[in-house]
Amino acid sequence: MVMANGDQVESLRRRMKEVHCNRWRQEPCSIYRVPFKLRWSHVDAYDPSLIYRGPYDPFYVSIGPYHRGKPQLQPMEEFKLRALQHLLSRNPTITLERCLEEMKGLELRARSCYSEVIDMSGEEFVEMMLLDGCFTVFVLTCELNDLVWMPGEGLHETGHNVDGGGIAPRVSLLDDVMYDLLLLENQIPFFVLKALFNLLITGFHNENISLEHLAIEHFPAIYPGIRDSNPSVTGDKVQHLLHLLYLSIIPVIEPRKPVASSKKFHRSDLLPIFSQERASSSKGQDKVKPQEWIPTITQMKEAGVMFKVKNSTSFLDVSFRNGVMEIPTLVLNDTTKSVLPNLIAYDQCYRYTKFHVTYYTIFMDCLVNTPADVSILLDEAIIMNNLSSENEAAQFINQLSIEVRCDWKNSYLLDLFSEVNRFCGLRRNKWRAKLVHNYFSCPWAILSLMAAIVLLILTLLQTFFGIDSYYHPLS
């Protein structure tokens, strides 16, 4: 149907007005859809034949509006109602009406946290906040280690037998659902969770325990790469659960002195990061270009670099001093394949991050080029590989930094890259690397070298004795 000229003008005016109104926010947006350029590196990201489409989509439960209504996530909607009922039953003084009023007061602020305009009525949005928020609070505050949810059966202990001896599908809430709660697209503002926690939970727990502390306690169990988290993060800084995880690993990194800049982002940020250069230091050193990526772990070991496991609270906390590289252990498993890409996506999307996770993935991508590099990392206990093979681990590490953008000149690892390249570039280390690569890279090369050395020694001895017998003949 062709629109009349006047109707078209009016339609454009209305749409421009809507866009203008949507620019006004009570909160800076912090919950994003993952950009397509990050999704495309996962070959199954847009395969229409798959229900699960990569590391950014939930398996069990939708939180917030982005995945709401997906058929495969509908079974957990029943449990959201059960979670709300359970929390209300624990605090009879709080009514359902009171909870809805609390959510209505936060509606506009919550809507502005999402990067997209949410096409939901006020009633739908408020109900979503209440159900999704209560579900999340329930998961974080209840003892779920020995509980499973059976569709049509509700909550039971793990030893529960279904009537008739049949087997019902079960969801382990702590082990499975928590993974979904750490997806960038599957978030609800943390102030919504705090409001529900303060309304429904206060008085039933130790008053000194905060929602932040309860959530942080789950992280080491969910993501073994984080052995100890920072419990000092306060709720006024937290945007959502993924951001809380992000904050719990970032503070341990000692920031390098930033390069003076008038603003955070520059036009050059839109170019590939390897096209930028860092000015030489006051000591008159040569320029260090980010395209001079550090060698692989195989090449560094050939050049004499030693590797040690670093005892740190963050897997990001890598260091290099006097030829020794210290790296905290990173656990590679199915959880890592979900959590780490989402941390990178948040790093890339939120305006005010310092790209620490992005820099780390570039660092790991430099170390690993082949499954043989993964094998060395395993031998050094720098990674624990619970994936199917070393080849899968190498592919996962190599795809993490595809299409990422960062402000490289302020990287916390820029000095480390410079020091590693300087160490590996020393003449004696270059000679050592060539010697190792050419003559000690395989057993046959070592045997050939040893044979050549023995042959050389025998030839010298033969020459010596020949000359000696010439000048000192036997009488």
Side-chain angles (χ1 to χ4, degrees):
M1 180 179 179
V2 179
M3 188 179 297
N5 186 51
D7 294 338
Q8 186 177 23
V9 170
E10 189 61 34
S11 174
L12 281 172
R13 283 177 176 169
R14 176 180 54 81
R15 288 156 58 193
M16 288 189 294
K17 184 177 179 180
E18 288 176 355
V19 170
H20 176 73
C21 292
N22 290 331
R23 290 294 181 187
W24 180 82
R25 295 180 180 273
Q26 292 186 358
E27 295 275 330
C29 62
S30 58
I31 304 173
Y32 306 84
R33 285 196 191 273
V34 177
F36 177 77
K37 69 174 186 176
L38 295 181
R39 280 185 173 270
W40 81 269
S41 62
H42 300 276
V43 295
D44 59 347
Y46 282 94
D47 187 342
S49 65
L50 296 177
I51 294 178
Y52 175 66
R53 300 184 180 181
Y56 308 107
D57 302 303
F59 260 121
Y60 296 106
V61 61
S62 68
I63 301 294
Y66 290 154
H67 296 277
R68 179 179 171 86
K70 288 187 175 180
Q72 67 271 22
L73 305 177
Q74 289 307 299
M76 289 302 289
E77 295 301 310
E78 175 191 337
F79 184 75
K80 291 180 183 180
L81 292 169
R82 291 177 180 271
L84 172 60
Q85 183 181 32
H86 176 80
L87 294 179
L88 288 173
S89 67
R90 294 179 61 183
N91 196 342
T93 61
I94 303 300
T95 64
L96 181 59
E97 290 77 10
R98 171 81 181 278
C99 293
L100 286 170
E101 286 299 319
E102 187 80 17
M103 294 298 97
K104 287 179 182 178
L106 299 175
E107 179 189 354
L108 292 180
R109 185 183 172 193
R111 282 180 182 270
S112 65
C113 292
Y114 294 92
S115 61
E116 299 181 3
V117 177
I118 307 304
D119 187 18
M120 296 173 63
S121 67
E123 291 77 9
E124 288 178 315
F125 190 85
V126 166
E127 181 178 309
M128 178 194 69
M129 284 199 300
L130 178 61
L131 290 174
D132 293 359
C134 284
F135 173 86
T136 304
V137 170
F138 178 88
V139 171
L140 296 178
T141 58
C142 294
E143 295 294 332
L144 302 178
N145 290 316
D146 298 322
L147 293 178
V148 294
W149 175 66
M150 300 181 183
E153 292 286 325
L155 276 177
H156 295 290
E157 295 183 359
T158 52
H160 173 77
N161 292 321
V162 180
D163 291 342
I167 299 176
R170 305 191 307 179
V171 174
S172 175
L173 294 176
L174 185 60
D175 293 337
D176 295 323
V177 173
M178 270 302 299
Y179 302 151
D180 283 356
L181 299 185
L182 293 175
L183 306 180
L184 178 59
E185 295 182 350
N186 214 39
Q187 298 297 320
I188 194 169
F190 199 76
F191 58 79
V192 173
L193 302 180
K194 287 282 286 186
L196 291 170
F197 177 81
N198 293 336
L199 189 64
L200 296 169
I201 304 299
T202 301
F204 289 88
H205 282 273
N206 186 331
E207 294 182 358
N208 295 325
I209 296 180
S210 65
L211 183 61
E212 297 90 330
H213 180 78
L214 289 171
I216 286 175
E217 283 186 337
H218 286 78
F219 293 158
I222 301 166
Y223 197 24
I226 302 174
R227 290 164 291 177
D228 185 22
S229 297
N230 182 2
S232 62
V233 179
T234 56
D236 58 341
K237 298 179 181 178
V238 180
Q239 298 161 355
H240 41 72
L241 284 180
L242 180 65
H243 184 226
L244 180 61
L245 173 62
Y246 188 90
L247 291 176
S248 71
I249 60 175
I250 293 302
V252 300
I253 302 299
E254 182 179 350
R256 64 186 304 275
K257 187 175 181 180
V259 177
S261 176
S262 60
K263 56 184 179 179
K264 172 72 175 178
F265 295 103
H266 303 270
R267 183 174 299 177
S268 59
D269 290 336
L270 300 177
L271 299 174
I273 55 179
F274 49 77
S275 67
Q276 302 178 21
E277 295 185 359
R278 180 176 181 254
S280 60
S281 68
S282 58
K283 296 181 181 180
Q285 298 168 341
D286 293 336
K287 289 184 178 181
V288 179
K289 301 179 181 180
Q291 66 262 33
E292 295 175 358
W293 302 126
I294 58 176
T296 66
I297 188 170
T298 300
Q299 295 167 332
M300 279 195 275
K301 285 183 73 69
E302 291 176 353
V305 177
M306 304 293 290
F307 288 84
K308 291 183 178 180
V309 175
K310 188 171 189 178
N311 185 19
S312 177
T313 58
S314 171
F315 61 87
L316 306 180
D317 189 15
V318 299
S319 60
F320 180 79
R321 293 182 184 88
N322 301 321
V324 178
M325 179 83 74
E326 293 188 272
I327 310 174
T329 300
L330 176 68
V331 179
L332 296 183
N333 54 26
D334 289 339
T335 306
T336 312
K337 291 182 69 175
S338 173
V339 174
L340 197 51
N342 279 275
L343 287 170
I344 296 169
Y346 176 78
D347 214 16
Q348 291 290 293
C349 291
Y350 187 59
R351 178 181 176 87
Y352 301 105
T353 63
K354 296 182 178 180
F355 300 121
H356 284 327
V357 182
T358 300
Y359 298 139
Y360 173 79
T361 59
I362 293 173
F363 166 76
M364 291 299 294
D365 188 24
C366 289
L367 292 187
V368 174
N369 193 34
T370 66
D373 296 322
V374 174
S375 181
I376 296 176
L377 289 170
L378 286 170
D379 293 339
E380 298 289 348
I382 292 171
I383 65 172
M384 293 177 57
N385 186 25
N386 295 326
L387 301 178
S388 62
S389 65
E390 293 173 5
N391 183 58
E392 183 183 357
Q395 289 180 346
F396 170 67
I397 292 172
N398 292 152
Q399 76 178 8
L400 285 173
S401 57
I402 294 177
E403 293 293 346
V404 297
R405 176 184 63 90
C406 57
D407 187 10
W408 182 259
K409 60 184 173 295
N410 288 322
S411 166
Y412 83 102
L413 290 177
L414 183 59
D415 291 338
L416 180 145
F417 273 47
S418 301
E419 291 299 320
V420 168
N421 284 322
R422 189 173 296 112
F423 180 89
C424 295
L426 293 175
R427 184 172 298 176
R428 65 177 181 272
N429 292 325
K430 282 185 176 181
W431 288 347
R432 184 184 189 279
K434 288 181 179 179
L435 179 66
V436 171
H437 182 74
N438 293 332
Y439 299 105
F440 295 98
S441 58
C442 69
W444 293 113
I446 296 173
L447 291 174
S448 298
L449 179 63
M450 292 176 64
I453 292 173
V454 171
L455 182 61
L456 178 63
I457 293 173
L458 292 175
T459 302
L460 291 174
L461 288 173
Q462 183 182 25
T463 303
F464 172 78
F465 286 117
I467 296 174
D468 184 69
S469 63
Y470 179 82
Y471 288 101
H472 303 89
L474 294 175
S475 56

